[in-house]
Amino acid sequence: MKTLSAVLGMTAVAAISLCSLPAGAQTYPERTITMVVPFSAGGPTDTVARLVAESMSKDLGQQIVVENVGGAGGTLGAGRVAQADPDGYTILLHHIGMATSATLYRKLAYDTLGAFEYVGLVTDVPMTIVARKDLEATDLKGLVEYVKANKDTVTVANAGIGAASHLCGMMFMSAIETPLTTVPYKGTGPAMTDLLGGQVDIMCDQTTNTTKQIQGGTIKAYAVTSPERLAVLPDVPTAVEGGLDGFQVGIWHGVYAPKGTPTEVTERLSKSLQAALQDQNVVARFAELGTVPSPADDATPAALKAKLEGEIARWKPVIEAAGQYAD
Ligand code: ASP
């Protein structure tokens, strides 16, 4: 049995540690949280964010509203969160572009490794190489031949320099040694609308945006960028199977908060993210869209920090070798 003085001592320690928390951290969250998605509504990042935000809202007991701040390959939305109050009420869900833009942009309005706190990884989504429905090629080899034969007119949609679609499009052009005209959008939601309408020819985008359209036959799919075929798209070969050696890329997503957000808050958000990623509705919806949630160990601040640092280092030499930058 504990003595009264021991209990009082413990209470005093608890009181001191509570007092040392920044105001509000112990009662967080007390109001609506804004999750910035740095791309348009209706696209793949937005889809992932809305599923996760809805589930996290239940866990946190406060609503998370998604705000789309598209433009400049995701750097406008990231910049917006970098400058927000570090109180946990403005957070960011971004993808691999957080790492590639650190090298691709000569000038960024924020210091990628210095401007954020980390909440955790969310998911790693395969890409798909797709085209407007009436493009004549029937397989990846045929697509490459078509593109090479029509290189002056073929257009490739993307979500701006630094976006996943930009990265994948560049990989495609480099693999087939054929530069093409790119058409930037604020996100691949609107890019998909134009692909459906036949205003652009091809795109490489996350399965979270393309799976339903491929299944519905409204666009043509030529390849997935995962090491294996996907259960939801069993007839779509991998890019490697289709003849593009080494063409594999996964688009990892993470949740961030502005630098200075109290650790107690990022830890609370991380716990909530872990709960969301185990939510059976989220798991099922992700599966329908060709992806899986990150494991709980990865939905942590430390794992996302390590991922971002590693990915900046990984892509830096690749981007420098390509020698193409955005101002
Ligand atoms: N898929 C887009 C990209 O290329 C982003 C988006 O619209 O969610 O990065």
Side-chain angles (χ1 to χ4, degrees):
M1 207 174 94
K2 291 188 183 86
T3 63
L4 182 60
S5 60
V7 171
L8 285 176
M10 282 168 58
T11 310
V13 169
I16 289 165
S17 56
L18 275 182
C19 288
S20 62
L21 291 180
Q26 57 275 51
T27 50
Y28 174 85
E30 294 176 299
R31 57 186 165 86
T32 299
I33 298 165
T34 299
M35 178 181 274
V36 171
V37 167
F39 298 103
S40 310
T45 316
D46 181 67
T47 298
V48 166
R50 284 175 198 271
L51 285 170
V52 167
E54 191 191 353
S55 183
M56 284 176 72
S57 297
K58 283 186 224 145
D59 180 72
L60 291 166
Q62 290 290 345
Q63 216 197 339
I64 301 184
V65 294
V66 169
E67 187 182 338
N68 300 90
V69 184
T75 60
L76 292 184
R80 160 82 182 279
V81 176
Q83 276 158 21
D85 288 340
D87 54 10
Y89 291 99
T90 308
I91 58 178
L92 171 72
L93 191 146
H94 199 351
H95 61 32
I96 192 171
M98 189 77 154
T100 53
S101 58
T103 305
L104 273 169
Y105 282 74
R106 289 188 206 276
K107 280 182 249 144
L108 270 186
Y110 53 91
D111 165 17
T112 303
L113 286 175
F116 300 94
E117 306 290 349
Y118 304 91
V119 173
L121 284 156
V122 179
T123 179
D124 202 323
V125 185
M127 300 292 271
T128 44
I129 300 174
V130 294
R132 59 181 161 78
K133 189 183 166 187
D134 54 357
L135 199 138
E136 63 196 47
T138 53
D139 59 13
L140 187 57
K141 193 167 161 289
L143 178 70
V144 172
E145 281 164 14
Y146 175 89
V147 162
K148 283 182 181 258
N150 297 279
K151 62 179 176 353
D152 296 333
T153 55
V154 166
T155 49
V156 187
N158 68 35
I161 295 177
S165 47
H166 170 255
L167 178 69
C168 190
M170 297 300 284
M171 285 171 62
F172 180 66
M173 290 181 234
S174 154
I176 66 169
E177 295 172 349
T178 310
L180 301 166
T181 304
T182 56
V183 185
Y185 294 80
K186 285 189 176 174
T188 48
M192 177 61 83
T193 305
D194 275 7
L195 195 71
L196 290 167
Q199 282 92 11
V200 281
D201 296 314
I202 60 177
M203 177 160 77
C204 185
D205 199 25
Q206 287 106 304
T207 57
T208 34
N209 197 30
T210 59
T211 301
K212 294 284 168 227
Q213 303 293 357
I214 296 168
Q215 289 168 339
T218 52
I219 56 174
K220 266 189 184 156
Y222 295 97
V224 291
T225 67
S226 42
E228 307 290 337
R229 290 190 186 204
L230 302 175
V232 286
L233 298 170
D235 299 332
V236 182
T238 68
V240 175
E241 273 180 81
L244 298 182
D245 283 350
F247 199 100
Q248 287 180 357
V249 62
I251 305 305
W252 55 273
H253 296 59
V255 175
Y256 305 81
K259 189 78 187 171
T261 304
T263 307
E264 295 73 14
V265 169
T266 51
E267 290 291 350
R268 179 70 190 93
L269 287 166
S270 176
K271 288 276 168 307
S272 177
L273 175 62
Q274 288 163 23
L277 297 180
Q278 282 160 34
D279 176 337
Q280 286 316 301
N281 179 48
V282 172
V283 175
R285 291 285 292 120
F286 273 22
E288 285 169 12
L289 297 170
T291 193
V292 289
S294 296
D297 283 359
D298 285 348
T300 59
L304 177 56
K305 181 173 190 288
K307 182 75 175 182
L308 181 65
E309 288 171 356
E311 287 281 284
I312 289 176
R314 175 178 163 220
W315 288 104
K316 193 169 192 282
V318 179
I319 293 163
E320 285 174 349
Q324 288 181 358
Y325 298 95
D327 289 318

